[in-house]
Amino acid sequence: MLTRIPNDMGVISYNKNALEDIIRSAFARCKGQCWVSSRFTSAGKELSYSDKGVFVRVSCVVRVGTPIRTTLEDIIKFIGDNITDCLELTIDNIVLNVVAVAGTKNTVKRDITLDYYSNYVNADDESDDSEE
């Protein structure tokens, strides 16, 4: 699907499938450790564009034993680098939300969020890693 973004110099057109490919490639790099989930949410991915830039929200599942923060940071960095370098678009935010942690037999729901600006929230204890 072709999306048109008006700006002060004219109109930028890009294919939303390019964003889908970037997200798919980011998760393919950590195959078996983290994957996109639509089972626990109504939508696994949300892609939009505003005056601030591209907004990406992805719900994902992480395998038990996977370092959550470093894995999410790697995925976000890959997506962000590709959006700015390949598509040459600005970034509003990239948000990854861990909705579950999967073991060999069980899956436990979680609500952990990390965004492009390194705002980390573990909803289980309502804390983040910011130093005050």
Side-chain angles (χ1 to χ4, degrees):
M1 172 193 290
L2 195 64
T3 302
R4 297 173 58 84
I5 305 163
N7 63 19
D8 56 342
M9 298 182 72
V11 176
I12 299 172
S13 297
Y14 78 96
N15 191 332
K16 277 198 170 184
N17 290 335
L19 281 175
E20 291 277 347
D21 288 341
I22 290 171
I23 293 169
R24 191 176 308 112
S25 296
F27 280 90
R29 297 174 70 224
C30 58
K31 189 174 185 176
Q33 295 178 334
C34 187
W35 57 91
V36 177
S37 171
S38 59
R39 179 177 172 207
F40 295 104
T41 60
S42 59
K45 290 180 258 185
E46 174 189 340
L47 308 171
S48 62
Y49 191 88
S50 67
D51 294 339
K52 297 178 184 177
V54 176
F55 178 79
V56 177
R57 177 184 300 274
V58 181
S59 299
C60 57
V61 176
V62 175
R63 179 158 313 281
V64 169
T66 302
I68 294 174
R69 185 175 183 117
T70 56
T71 303
L72 296 182
E73 284 174 344
D74 289 345
I75 293 170
I76 288 172
K77 182 173 180 358
F78 183 86
I79 293 170
D81 289 348
N82 279 282
I83 289 173
T84 55
D85 295 342
C86 298
L87 299 179
E88 297 181 3
L89 296 172
T90 58
I91 297 173
D92 177 12
N93 207 348
I94 301 168
V95 180
L96 294 183
N97 183 18
V98 176
V99 295
V101 175
T104 55
K105 294 183 180 180
N106 297 329
T107 302
V108 180
K109 289 187 179 181
R110 291 287 182 254
D111 187 13
I112 303 168
T113 304
L114 182 69
D115 71 5
Y116 185 70
Y117 303 103
S118 295
N119 296 320
Y120 178 76
V121 177
N122 182 344
D124 295 338
D125 62 7
E126 298 293 324
S127 65
D128 63 8
D129 284 347
S130 62
E131 296 184 21
E132 298 177 31

